[in-house]
Amino acid sequence: MQDDKEFGWKSDQERLELAMQQLRDAEVPGLPASGEQLCLNPTLNLLELSWINLCTLLYDKKTTITPQQGKELVLLFKRPVDGAIKVAPATAPQLLALKLLTENLDREEVAKEAGVVVGKVDAAIETASEQGLLLSPPSALVRPNTHFPDAGSDGWQRHLQSEYFTLQWHVTQACDLHCKHCYDRSTISPLTLEQGITILDQFREFVLEKNVHGQVTFTGGNPLLYAHFEELYKEAAKRNFTIAILGNPTTKETIESLQNIQPLSFYQVSLEGLPEHNDSIRGEGHFERIMKFLEILDELSIYSMVMLTLTRENMGQVLELADILRGKVDLFTFNRLSQTGEGAALATAAKEEYRDFLKEYLEAAKTNPVMALKDNLINIIKADNNEKPFGGCTGFGCGAAFNFCSILPNGDMHACRKFQSPIGNVLESSLLELYRSETAEKYRKGPEECRGCKIRPVCGGCQAVIQSSGLDITLNKDPYCFIE
């Protein structure tokens, strides 16, 4: 009986090893070109075995695990680009992705048949593509070379194509603070939950069309004050979006409730300097509330971020604040003030001192791991020092209407919330239609004065600062630009 049993699994082992040898001889598959369809990896082989644990034996001859009788489906394929060979038992999400593609099924129908939300199907396909089981065309979020004719050297070219898109959604104007630099205190009636779900469906259509991953960043006002926030959060989770919050401190119980739906990618709060100055901007006791809330985020293992709006008054406090935040937050960075709304009453950072400030910030960041880089103009210093660039504000310099856009509580879409950059309304035209519009293209191109600059893919300055300085965002470069 033992010989019969061994012969049984030996036969399956031989089939597995033969398939492995054939895979070694197969050509490395290439990826579909832009505009082509998602397809199966041509090297894929799906073996149905009558014994389990044979994949372990294949890779580990010294294992003490023995084959056991039982049906097992094993996937073998050669990964595109690097040609790595993958052999492993098929998972349920992988089989789900294969079923959809081989039978040319609708994603919603597959989700309904499997009894899962459609985001589970989207995630299965996305993961299978990342693994190389499916071959996916490249992202369609590509900046034309005509926008940046001199961007082909020194590694800048890779910043012309984005694999993700962020929808920064201001779901409500309601806020429990009244900050002195707030760029919009107007009253805008929020959308109904049904309208919000329509926007999420539009966003899903957008990311599938562009072949990118979508992130919804909920903000406001204070997004947690939106009457249907938890329901909207659930709906975003159902559609395979990464979810983040830009908001104010809240209770541990509130955050735990959201985490039980889907873990947050990050939670961002704001500080405007040292305690006395911060509280003069954001209200008495705000600094202490933020510090206590950061402890909650740490306790719940949520990636925490602190953002500062840089003004003339707090520029000298940034490095000291960064030291206070060391070990208490995962990331700290800043945006320059846009003199929009109530922020028009504050003074911007002194231009003549700004370059020196950035150099000091870069130097301090070498020894303080929480200090992150965001301002695009930092790449001028890096270029001067022959250092590798970082991605800039959105990973692609100014990402306004490229890999980022904002939606207001009434559905108005802006290229960036920090300045008046209206594109249209998503309740009147779809997000895809608005993205394709000439208006959106104007923001993507940015200033003409930047187009001959080799670091434009990771820079472009800040259009919000350009506009609030009284300049033309289609013509004039960032007034703080110090490129030589």
Side-chain angles (χ1 to χ4, degrees):
M1 293 292 295
Q2 181 64 33
D3 290 342
D4 290 343
K5 183 177 180 180
E6 183 173 345
F7 178 77
W9 70 259
K10 284 287 187 182
S11 176
D12 268 4
Q13 185 184 42
E14 289 173 359
R15 290 176 58 212
L16 187 59
E17 289 176 345
L18 176 60
M20 185 81 162
Q21 182 56 51
Q22 292 171 339
L23 191 59
R24 292 191 185 98
D25 297 335
E27 292 185 5
V28 177
L31 293 172
S34 179
E36 294 183 351
Q37 297 296 310
L38 181 76
C39 63
L40 286 175
N41 186 322
T43 67
L44 175 64
N45 190 353
L46 179 61
L47 284 182
E48 182 175 339
L49 304 179
S50 300
W51 297 81
I52 63 175
N53 297 332
L54 293 182
C55 290
T56 303
L57 286 177
L58 186 68
Y59 285 108
D60 186 0
K61 303 299 183 183
K62 297 181 180 180
T63 182
T64 58
I65 295 176
T66 59
Q68 302 293 322
Q69 280 189 304
K71 181 180 176 181
E72 186 168 72
L73 295 173
V74 174
L75 291 170
L76 303 92
F77 60 94
K78 183 173 283 188
R79 201 164 60 186
V81 183
D82 64 3
I85 291 175
K86 297 297 177 182
V87 180
T91 65
Q94 288 174 327
L95 294 174
L96 185 65
L98 291 177
K99 177 181 177 65
L100 184 141
L101 206 61
T102 55
E103 299 181 23
N104 194 28
L105 300 175
D106 179 79
R107 295 191 186 201
E108 282 81 2
E109 291 178 3
V110 171
K112 185 177 181 180
E113 181 181 331
V116 298
V117 297
V118 72
K120 293 289 186 182
V121 179
D122 290 343
I125 294 171
E126 188 175 292
T127 301
S129 299
E130 293 170 354
Q131 293 168 339
L133 180 64
L134 304 181
L135 303 183
S136 177
S139 162
L141 292 185
V142 184
R143 293 190 189 271
N145 285 332
T146 52
H147 289 187
F148 314 119
D150 298 321
S153 60
D154 301 327
W156 306 98
Q157 189 75 20
R158 64 189 176 88
H159 293 282
L160 299 180
Q161 184 175 43
S162 177
E163 303 293 331
Y164 64 90
F165 188 95
T166 297
L167 184 71
Q168 187 186 85
W169 193 353
H170 298 252
V171 293
T172 181
Q173 293 288 88
C175 189
D176 44 343
L177 301 177
H178 194 135
C179 304
K180 290 183 179 179
H181 62 283
C182 183
Y183 40 72
D184 190 355
R185 293 293 297 181
S186 63
T187 301
I188 303 176
S189 297
L191 300 173
T192 65
L193 178 60
E194 290 72 21
Q195 289 172 321
I197 292 173
T198 297
I199 292 174
L200 291 173
D201 286 335
Q202 284 191 23
F203 189 41
R204 177 172 176 266
E205 178 187 8
F206 177 88
V207 298
L208 293 180
E209 171 77 17
K210 297 299 183 182
N211 198 36
V212 294
H213 182 76
Q215 172 172 299
V216 177
T217 300
F218 288 115
T219 186
N222 183 351
L224 298 176
L225 297 180
Y226 175 58
H228 308 291
F229 182 73
E230 188 164 303
E231 295 97 318
L232 198 62
Y233 191 100
K234 288 178 182 177
E235 293 296 331
K238 289 178 182 179
R239 288 158 177 79
N240 191 39
F241 299 136
T242 299
I243 305 176
I245 292 178
L246 312 183
N248 300 336
T250 187
T251 64
K252 180 180 179 181
E253 291 73 24
T254 297
I255 300 300
E256 285 178 323
S257 178
L258 298 177
Q259 288 292 90
N260 289 335
I261 299 169
Q262 176 175 302
L264 281 157
S265 173
F266 64 84
Y267 197 115
Q268 179 179 299
V269 292
S270 295
L271 286 173
E272 306 308 335
L274 300 177
E276 183 179 354
H277 177 75
N278 174 81
D279 290 2
S280 73
I281 296 292
R282 291 189 169 266
E284 186 177 352
H286 178 264
F287 191 97
E288 184 178 353
R289 289 197 300 274
I290 289 290
M291 299 307 289
K292 289 181 178 178
F293 184 61
L294 291 176
E295 293 177 3
I296 292 175
L297 295 179
D298 180 62
E299 183 180 346
L300 297 178
S301 300
I302 297 172
Y303 193 88
S304 59
M305 298 168 59
V306 169
M307 177 64 67
L308 174 142
T309 299
L310 191 73
T311 65
R312 183 165 303 192
E313 194 171 359
N314 68 10
M315 191 164 71
Q317 302 178 33
V318 171
L319 300 187
E320 188 175 348
L321 176 61
D323 275 337
I324 292 173
L325 292 173
R326 185 194 299 259
K328 297 181 176 64
V329 70
D330 291 301
L331 182 152
F332 166 68
T333 191
F334 64 90
N335 272 322
R336 279 176 284 153
L337 172 72
S338 172
Q339 291 180 297
T340 303
E342 296 184 9
L346 301 180
T348 58
K351 298 176 186 178
E352 62 274 11
E353 300 173 5
Y354 192 58
R355 183 174 187 170
D356 289 338
F357 164 76
L358 290 182
K359 288 181 177 180
E360 291 174 3
Y361 186 93
L362 272 171
E363 188 62 29
K366 293 178 181 178
T367 57
N368 188 340
V370 307
M371 295 175 67
L373 308 183
K374 184 173 176 66
D375 193 306
N376 294 326
L377 300 188
I378 292 173
N379 273 316
I380 301 175
I381 297 173
K382 283 185 164 289
D384 288 344
N385 295 338
N386 294 316
E387 296 176 2
K388 184 178 179 180
F390 79 106
C393 185
T394 67
F396 300 85
C398 177
F402 172 56
N403 70 328
F404 174 94
C405 75
S406 291
I407 303 290
L408 303 194
N410 62 356
D412 283 347
M413 177 173 163
H414 284 243
C416 175
R417 189 64 183 97
K418 288 176 60 185
F419 71 110
Q420 288 298 308
S421 50
I423 300 174
N425 188 288
V426 292
L427 301 180
E428 300 170 1
S429 301
S430 74
L431 203 157
L432 262 172
E433 291 171 334
L434 294 177
Y435 187 86
R436 294 168 179 157
S437 68
E438 291 184 6
T439 303
E441 183 70 1
K442 174 187 70 175
Y443 296 115
R444 279 194 288 278
K445 286 183 178 179
E448 285 187 10
E449 290 182 357
C450 292
R451 290 183 202 162
C453 180
K454 75 171 186 176
I455 69 169
R456 173 59 184 88
V458 288
C459 191
C462 177
Q463 293 189 48
V465 173
I466 295 172
Q467 185 184 89
S468 67
S469 299
L471 302 174
D472 188 335
I473 62 168
T474 66
L475 300 174
N476 305 123
K477 67 180 181 178
D478 191 316
Y480 283 73
C481 177
F482 47 83
I483 198 163
E484 296 174 356

